[in-house]
Amino acid sequence: MEKIPTTVTITGAGGQIGYALLFRIAAGAMLGADQPVRLRLLEIPAGVRAAEGAALELQDCAFELLRGVEVTDDPLTAFNGCNIALLVGARPRGPGMERADLLAANAGIFGPQGKALAAAAASDVRAVVVGNPANTNALIAASAAAPEIPADRFSALTRLDHNRAVGLIAATLNVRPDDIADVTIWGNHSATQFADTTHATVRGESVDAALARHFGSEQAAMRWLDNDFIPRVAKRGAEIIEVRGSSSVASAANATIAHVRDEQLGMSHGWTSAAVLSQGEYDVPEGIVCSFPVTSNGNGYRIVENLSLTDRQRARLRTSVEELSAERDAVRDLGVL
């Protein structure tokens, strides 16, 4: 007997990341080769034609798992019966726009979407925010959806940062990415984030020990981590824009699929990184959407607790949390929260 199709709603579906997501989801990369999917593509009126074109291409692919595609500019229609919401569409920062202006503009997007999810989505809905500033946009959407949808059903994407960190370590040590486990991204999806190798391993050995051997000493490895690795992971998006001429698309879509896959299907070992609602773990103020080490048994992400943190780690995490707190306070002043 065929499984009941999962309804997946993608906002900003006519954009580049949306386009990179659609075909992989329909092919089974996100939920598995035996899980049928139904796609709902939400766009603003100006983007509907692009989404309709993508829907035609999806039909032309004749995906065995695809049970329908609907394009709409109405959030209630898009989120009707939704099981998984990928909130990709967001207002980008324009020339001369202050961060407060950016937060206000996105509050006007993610607040109504949160309300629409609360009104129309399935009872088991989970949402991941991809559109930046992702952490605070997730907080806005979760606040708007309360109390109908528990806030822990919302998360924000830091899997892209996690993958960037893993990829850079793998290239430096000349190993495969799947040789590396338990890297952590702490904090905000911004330049203040902290890519942490303290608990990470490579083929069972401490990554920090492997880096010390590679660079010739612990001090040289630490200099590389502080001066090259951590800032490069945090600013990788800007690096790609400079080299490619446009922002990360395929890697962002790939990270989104991996985030949902692990959350929905579970993880067999180790942890990954995701921005989820804090309950006070690691002294992060309660009610902030912060990136932590997380694991999943297939029923949502749970923070990996009780890891030992050095003063260096705590200081870097504190810097990013201060930024998140300031963003929360800014949208609270707008009356959003």
Side-chain angles (χ1 to χ4, degrees):
M1 180 179 294
E2 180 174 285
K3 291 183 177 180
I4 297 172
T6 297
T7 298
V8 181
T9 301
I10 302 98
T11 75
Q16 292 188 69
I17 295 175
Y19 187 80
L21 280 168
L22 295 174
F23 302 91
R24 292 190 63 195
I25 295 171
M30 189 169 79
L31 298 177
D34 63 345
Q35 179 57 58
V37 293
R38 183 184 298 111
L39 297 178
R40 298 250 174 80
L41 314 187
L42 177 62
E43 259 295 356
I44 60 174
V48 164
R49 288 290 286 174
E52 288 175 340
L56 292 175
E57 285 197 79
L58 284 164
Q59 184 182 52
D60 291 348
C61 288
F63 288 113
E64 296 179 7
L65 295 172
L66 188 58
R67 297 295 177 269
V69 183
E70 183 175 359
V71 179
T72 182
D73 61 3
D74 176 36
L76 287 174
T77 300
F79 293 125
N80 183 34
C82 170
N83 304 110
I84 299 172
L86 309 182
L87 307 184
V88 178
R91 170 68 185 273
R93 191 167 188 165
M97 181 180 280
E98 299 294 334
R99 193 165 184 84
D101 299 327
L102 180 66
L103 291 167
N106 279 288
I109 297 171
F110 288 89
Q113 288 182 358
K115 291 178 180 177
L117 279 162
S123 60
D124 65 347
V125 66
R126 291 191 180 275
V128 55
V129 175
V130 179
N132 290 317
N135 297 52
T136 299
N137 286 342
L139 180 61
I140 292 167
S143 299
E148 285 81 4
I149 302 175
D152 64 5
R153 297 292 187 86
F154 289 83
S155 59
L157 188 73
T158 54
R159 182 62 172 265
L160 177 54
D161 309 298
H162 181 99
N163 288 350
R164 286 168 169 167
V166 170
L168 185 53
I169 294 167
T172 301
L173 295 178
N174 194 28
V175 297
R176 290 171 27 162
D178 59 350
D179 289 330
I180 298 166
D182 299 343
V183 170
T184 301
I185 302 296
W186 300 94
N188 199 2
H189 177 62
S190 75
T192 68
Q193 67 175 246
F194 172 35
D196 184 14
T197 61
T198 306
H199 300 280
T201 61
V202 52
R203 298 174 179 170
E205 178 190 13
S206 163
V207 163
D208 286 355
L211 289 171
R213 187 171 61 253
H214 176 80
F215 287 106
S217 70
E218 291 182 7
Q219 292 78 10
M222 186 62 68
R223 285 195 297 272
W224 180 79
L225 287 169
D226 284 343
N227 299 328
D228 190 345
F229 172 73
I230 292 171
R232 192 175 187 190
V233 171
K235 299 175 182 178
R236 183 68 157 190
E239 180 182 352
I240 288 172
I241 289 172
E242 181 180 354
V243 173
R244 183 174 179 265
S246 60
S247 60
S248 306
V249 175
S251 56
N254 179 70
T256 303
I257 286 170
H259 174 108
V260 175
R261 183 182 63 238
D262 285 349
E263 181 186 50
Q264 292 285 321
L265 304 184
M267 303 171 61
S268 59
H269 62 279
W271 65 73
T272 185
S273 302
V276 297
L277 192 73
S278 169
Q279 300 294 336
E281 298 89 350
Y282 299 101
D283 296 325
V284 175
E286 185 175 350
I288 284 178
V289 176
C290 178
S291 186
F292 292 99
V294 297
T295 188
S296 173
N297 62 2
N299 190 32
Y301 283 123
R302 295 293 179 268
I303 296 170
V304 177
E305 298 189 60
N306 301 318
L307 296 176
S308 59
L309 299 186
T310 64
D311 290 343
R312 169 179 172 272
Q313 290 170 289
R314 290 187 181 278
R316 285 188 175 274
L317 174 57
R318 191 179 307 116
T319 297
S320 200
V321 167
E322 287 171 355
E323 181 181 57
L324 286 169
S325 297
E327 290 183 6
R328 176 201 58 193
D329 294 344
V331 295
R332 181 179 286 162
D333 290 345
L334 295 170
V336 175
L337 303 183

